Amino acid sequence: MRRVSSWGRLSADQHEVIALSDPAKVSSLVSGSNKPGIVHGMGRSYGDVCLNPGGVLWLTTGLDHFIAFDDNTGRLVCEAGVQLRDIQRLGIPRGWILPVTPGTQMVTVGGAIANDVHGKNHHVLGSFGNHVQRIKLFRTDGEAIECSPQTNPNWFAATVGGLGLTGVIVEAEIQLRRIAGPWLDTETVPYPSLDEFFQLADDSEAEWEHTVSWIDCISGDRGRGLFMRGNPTDVTQLPEPKGRKRTMPFVPPVSLVNRLSLRPFNIAYYNFKKWQAERAIVHYEPFFYPLDNLLQWNRMYGPKGFFQYQSVVPREVGQDAVQAMLEEIAHSNDGSFLAVLKTFGDRQSVGMLSFPQPGVTLALDFPNHGMRTHKLFERLDAIVREAGGRIYPGKDARMPRDLFEAGYPRLNEFLKYRDPGISSALSRRLMGS
Amino acid sequence: MVDLTLVARDAGRIERVAADLKVRSPQSHIRVVEAEFLEPVAIQDTVDEIISQGAVDVVLIAHGSLPEQAGCQNDLRACRDALEVNGVSPVLYAEAFAKHMAQADHGIIALIGSVAGDRGRKSNYIYGSAKGLVTRYAQGLQHRFSGTAVKVVLIKPGPTDTPMTSHLKEQGANLASVEDVAQKIVDAVDRCQAEAYVPGKWFLIMMIIRHLPRFIFNKLNI
Ligand SMILES: Cc1cc2nc3c(=O)[nH]c(=O)nc-3n(C[C@H](O)[C@H](O)[C@H](O)COP(=O)(O)OP(=O)(O)OC[C@H]3O[C@@H](n4cnc5c(N)ncnc54)[C@H](O)[C@@H]3O)c2cc1C
Ligand SMILES: NC(=O)c1ccc[n+]([C@@H]2O[C@H](COP(=O)([O-])OP(=O)(O)OC[C@H]3O[C@@H](n4cnc5c(N)ncnc54)[C@H](OP(=O)(O)O)[C@@H]3O)[C@@H](O)[C@H]2O)c1
C-alpha cells in the first residue's frame, strides 16, 4: 500500500499500486485483480477522478513506448502512458504538433482521452478526442475492444471523456497536425471589463487559433484581465529557450496563497503584464505550458491542498453567469491568481461525458479552507445550475450528484459501457458505484 | 543516425523497444537478435555474428534481474540463477566482445553494475555479489586495455524507477527517474568514464557505506 494524491493534494490515501509496464501483461494483471481498480496516469487531475482510496491503482506511466509514426500523414500510434511532452518533442522538429493540448504537457495520452481535455484552440479544433482515430481498450473481464469513430462508435464515444471507467486504454492512434516550427506569434491585450472580454473573444476567434484570458477576480467587480491570443508562425531562426526547471522544494506549513498575498499579487501581475501588452514571438513551451517549469507548484497551497472549480455555461447566459460568479468570489476574498476565462466553440465533443460544450468556461483555484470554501462552491453551483452549465469532472473533488446529472444528460447511456471491475472515488461519489 | 543491434532473450519484447526507437530515429538502422544468455558457445556465436556485420563502436551490457533475497537463501537454484544472469552472463558477453575489440584496437565496452556491488548487505547480497563480480571484472579489463584504444566503462546506478523495482516503489522507495539515469549513462559512455555512479550522489553515499567499520555496519538494517 502506498499513499497517493492527485494534483490538488486534498487527500493522501493508501492505494494498492500496480505498475502496468508491459502491454502483453496488462490484460492478465487487470483481470486478475480481486478488487476494483482505476487507472492513474500522471495524476494531473485535480480531484478524485484518478483516485481509489483503499483500492487498486493501475499505474500506466510505464506504458511509454511509441509504436509507429508516419512522417507523411502525421499519424501516430503509441501506448497510453506516453506523455504529451514526448509527442511534442518527437513531432514538432519533424513538422507535426498535437492538434489539442491542455495547459500542462506532463499528462498521459490515456489521461488526455479519458478527460477529453481541451486547449486554447477549442473554437478551432475542438477537444483531444476529436483527433483520436482509434483506441485499444482492455476490459477487466479479459475482453479487448478496438474502437474508433467508425468501428464500435458507441464504445469510442463512451471511452473518450469516459473518466477511465470503460476499461484500460493500452494504445491509441492520434492524428497530428502540420506545423512550420515551434514558435507562435502572440499578442496580449488588457481588457477593463467583462464586456470587452466578450468583444475581444468574438473579434479574435476568426483570426486567432489560440485564445485564452487571465481574469482578475478580486481587485475589481467589473472583471478586468488580460486577453492572450496566438497563431503558429513559420519564423524558425530563433534560439530555443533553455528549459530551466525549478521545484517547489517543500510544502509550506500554510498556504502561500492567502488573503494577504492575493490582492497584491493580482494587482502586480496585472500592471506588470500591462506594460508588456504587445506582440511577441513566443516558443510553444512557455506559451502552452507556462507553469511546467515550476515543478510541483501545487505545493504552494500548503498541506491542506487546493480545489479547482471549472465550469462551462452556455454563451447566451455566459456573461451574466460569469459576472455573478466573479461577484461571489470577490465577496469571499478567496480567489486565486489562476483564474482563466475562455470561450468554447461549437465543435461537438465526441464523448458521452465530455466536458467541453459551446459556451464560456471559467476556471479558478481555491486554497482549501474547509467549510468556508465549500459554502462558496455551493453558491457557485447555484449559478452554474441556473445557467444550465456543467462542471469539469477532471478538476472536481466535490460537486453534488444532482449537478453532475443535470450537466451530463447522456449519463444513463454511458453507464451501459462501464466496466464493473473499475471504480474511482469520483464514480462512487457521482454514480453510486 | 546510428546502426544499432538489440540483443535480448525474447524477440517479442525487444520488438517493442525497436519499434519505439524506429519512431524516434527513422534514419537509424535497428536490428533485433534473439539470443541465449548463459550458454558460452551460443554467446560466442551471437557476438561473432554481430561483429561479422561490421565493427562495433560501443557495446552496452545492461541485462540483469533483481532476485528476492529470501528466495536465494532458501533455494540454491534461485541463488545460482541470480549469480549467473547478473554476474557470469555479462562477463561472458563482455569477454566475447573484448576479444574482437582487442584485435581492432577500437571500441567501448560499457557494463551496468550496481551500487549493490560495492558492499555486501543482508537485504540483497546474492545480487550484490554478482554485481561485485562485474565490478572486479571491469577493473581487470580496464587494466588489460590501459594504453590501448579500447575503453571500459562501469556504470553503477542507484535505485531507479524501472520495471525491476516496481515492487520497491509500492513500498514507497525513493527512485531516480529513468530519463535522468539514462542521460547520465550516455554522458558517462561519451566521456569514457572508467566508473560512473548514477545519479552522482551515490558516489558519496557508497564511499561512506564502503568505509563504515564492520561493527557499525553490521548493526545497520540495510
Ligand atoms: C497545470 C495544469 C494545467 C491543466 N490544464 C488543462 C487544460 O487546459 N485543459 C484540460 O482539459 N485539462 C487541463 N488540466 C487537467 C489535465 O489535463 C487532465 O486532468 C488530464 O486528464 C490529466 O492526465 P493524467 O495523465 O495526469 O491522468 P490522471 O489525472 O492520472 O487520470 C485522469 C483520468 O484518466 C483516466 N486514465 C488515465 N489513463 C488511462 C488509461 N490508460 N486508460 C483508461 N483511463 C485512463 C484515469 O482513470 C482518470 O479517470 C490541467 C492540469 C494541470 C495540472
Ligand atoms: N533499476 C534499478 O534500480 C537498478 C539499480 C542498479 C542497477 N540496475 C541494473 O540495471 C540494468 C538494467 O535493469 P533495469 O532496471 O532497466 O531493469 P528491467 O527494466 O527489468 O530490465 C532488465 C533487462 O534484463 C533482461 N533480463 C532479465 N533477466 C534476464 C535473463 N535471465 N536473461 C536475459 N535477459 C534478462 C530483461 O529482458 P526481458 O525484457 O526479456 O525481461 C530486460 O531487458 C540491470 O543490469 C540491473 O541490474 C538497476
Side-chain angles (χ1 to χ4, degrees), chain A residues 99-119:
Chain A
V100 169
T101 174
T104 169
Q105 55 181 343
M106 274 116 104
V107 304
T108 64
V109 166
I113 294 173
N115 273 330
D116 194 10
V117 299
H118 59 271

Side-chain angles (χ1 to χ4, degrees), chain A residues 7 38-46 49-50 60 63 80-81 101-104 106-112 114-119 137 163-165 167-170 291-292 297 310 392 394-395:
Chain A
W7 191 247
I38 185 79
V39 171
H40 189 90
M42 285 294 284
R44 255 34 179 205
S45 297
Y46 284 65
V49 71
C50 56
T60 49
L63 295 174
T101 174
T104 169
M106 274 116 104
V107 304
T108 64
V109 166
N115 273 330
D116 194 10
V117 299
H118 59 271
L137 192 68
L163 311 176
L165 300 173
V168 175
I169 303 167
V170 283
L291 292 176
D292 275 3
W297 60 261
Q310 182 169 3
Y392 190 177
K395 306 273 178 84

Side-chain angles (χ1 to χ4, degrees), chain A residues 199-218:
Chain A
Q199 193 61 51
L200 269 168
D202 286 342
D203 293 349
S204 304
E205 280 174 10
E207 306 272 317
W208 298 84
E209 176 181 328
H210 301 281
T211 65
V212 68
S213 103
W214 168 80
I215 181 159
D216 176 350
C217 46
I218 298 180

